[in-house]
Amino acid sequence: MATGLATFAPPALAQPSSPASRFPEKPVRIVVAYSAGGAADSQARLAAQHLSEMWAMTTMVENRPGGNTLIATQAVQRSAPDGHTMLSVSLPFALNPMMFEKLPYDPFRDFVPVGLISSIPNILVVHPSFPARSVSEFVAYARSNPGKVTVAHTGIGSITHLSGELLYDKTGIEVTTITYPGSTPAHADILSGRVSAMFDSSMLQHIEAGRVRALGVTSSKRLDLLPDLPTIAEQGFPGYSAAAFYGLVAPRETPPAVIEKIAADLHSVLQLPEVRSRMRDMTFIAGGTTPASFGTFMQDEAARWGDLVRRREIRPG
């Protein structure tokens, strides 16, 4: 005869929460390899602001310019691989192995991609006193005055540098390039006339105010905000195309689940209407990719620009 006693299962053991479910557990830091105020800084701060709101946790931007981005890169390489410290990267991150004989890191071995934040074409601008009103006139003047045209950029291998190198390679002109630690100090010298020209993405307000003259857009298509400004390719230089990109990477051993969470949250932020509107106002094109696709994109950019770096024998100064 059955006793009728009830059978009770033991209580389930509590499962430890995953790193991704707990992230972020403390303030998040995005390290930018350029000074405050430029394009790299602006897009990082825009993303950080909205990630802070989403996570209810402070997400700060730390500027560590210098050393062709090596200072910032090594600082993040040495940080804890937990997602709380990330590096804002652009083209030099992928190109530095081709430019330095000995590099203290490998961008594709020591870091993992998180996602693309934005891409942005540059605009060739000159001081209003410069005697050129088009790219063809700029090239003609530089050809007649070899080495006399001064062009600012934000670092060897940066897109502000390589946009110019691509044009010099196509035309054979010689200019004098001047390296700055970021866009802000370079802008000061362009606005004062101490430097003739710059390929840059963050001078729209100065263009509109007439403080600099825009000659051409580096992308293959015109900008929506400057529809009357032709591309460089349109002005007699077919095939010319250059654009910056900005994204996030993290130290190599950051847990994949944490990377996927950050990437998904970054993608959500980049779909917000207010973020897309702000990026459009800054001539940025909002990104938002998977980690894998961002990694492939950086590999492709390294291969594309690496050909120019080798051909022009570009090395850090």
Side-chain angles (χ1 to χ4, degrees):
M1 182 175 178
T3 63
L5 295 176
T7 302
F8 294 93
L13 296 176
Q15 297 297 315
S17 58
S18 68
S21 67
R22 299 192 303 269
F23 183 88
E25 299 180 89
K26 59 185 179 181
V28 176
R29 187 169 54 123
I30 297 175
V31 180
V32 175
Y34 301 96
S35 58
D41 178 72
S42 297
Q43 55 80 35
R45 289 183 186 278
L46 182 61
Q49 172 193 338
H50 289 275
L51 287 173
S52 292
E53 295 170 1
M54 174 177 286
W55 291 335
M57 179 66 73
T58 299
T59 303
M60 66 191 79
V61 170
E62 178 182 325
N63 300 93
R64 301 195 68 169
N68 280 86
T69 74
L70 297 188
I71 293 173
T73 303
Q74 287 189 272
V76 175
Q77 181 187 15
R78 292 190 293 262
S79 67
D82 57 11
H84 292 90
T85 301
M86 292 178 283
L87 178 68
S88 170
V89 297
S90 54
L91 188 56
F93 175 77
L95 279 182
N96 276 343
M98 303 175 196
M99 298 171 56
F100 288 86
E101 290 186 6
K102 293 183 179 180
L103 196 65
Y105 67 89
D106 183 308
F108 300 109
R109 184 192 65 212
D110 297 332
F111 294 86
V112 291
V114 176
L116 178 70
I117 296 178
S118 64
S119 59
I120 179 171
N122 282 318
I123 301 170
L124 173 56
V125 299
V126 296
H127 187 265
S129 64
F130 190 81
R133 294 186 172 275
S134 67
V135 177
S136 58
E137 289 181 4
F138 175 89
V139 169
Y141 182 86
R143 185 171 287 130
S144 299
N145 299 271
K148 293 185 178 180
V149 176
T150 51
V151 183
H153 64 78
T154 57
I156 302 295
S158 69
I159 196 65
T160 62
H161 172 233
L162 294 180
S163 293
E165 290 292 332
L166 183 60
L167 182 64
Y168 316 148
D169 186 62
K170 282 183 170 291
T171 60
I173 61 175
E174 297 178 11
V175 305
T176 297
T177 60
I178 303 174
T179 305
Y180 291 81
S183 296
T184 301
H187 290 178
D189 279 1
I190 288 284
L191 294 171
S192 69
R194 285 190 291 270
V195 176
S196 308
M198 184 176 184
F199 290 82
D200 190 68
S201 60
S202 54
M203 296 200 79
L204 185 61
Q205 61 179 341
H206 299 304
I207 294 170
E208 293 173 338
R211 291 186 287 267
V212 293
R213 180 185 304 130
L215 301 185
V217 181
T218 64
S219 58
S220 57
K221 296 180 180 180
R222 296 191 184 195
L223 294 175
D224 291 342
L225 292 175
L226 296 170
D228 296 328
L229 181 64
T231 67
I232 291 176
E234 287 181 272
Q235 298 184 58
F237 307 96
Y240 181 99
S241 178
F245 73 83
Y246 300 103
L248 296 178
V249 300
R252 175 182 55 191
E253 295 184 1
T254 305
V258 171
I259 294 294
E260 292 293 341
K261 173 176 172 50
I262 298 171
D265 290 347
L266 177 63
H267 183 273
S268 296
V269 160
L270 294 173
Q271 306 312 306
L272 295 173
E274 59 268 35
V275 172
R276 300 184 77 84
S277 175
R278 179 65 183 134
M279 284 198 166
R280 189 165 49 249
D281 289 345
M282 294 188 292
T283 71
F284 291 11
I285 301 167
T289 60
T290 64
S293 61
F294 182 47
T296 299
F297 171 79
M298 285 194 291
Q299 294 270 14
D300 291 345
E301 285 291 280
R304 175 194 172 201
W305 288 103
D307 290 340
L308 180 70
V309 166
R310 286 185 285 267
R311 189 165 62 248
R312 300 282 294 176
E313 298 182 346
I314 297 171
R315 294 291 182 271

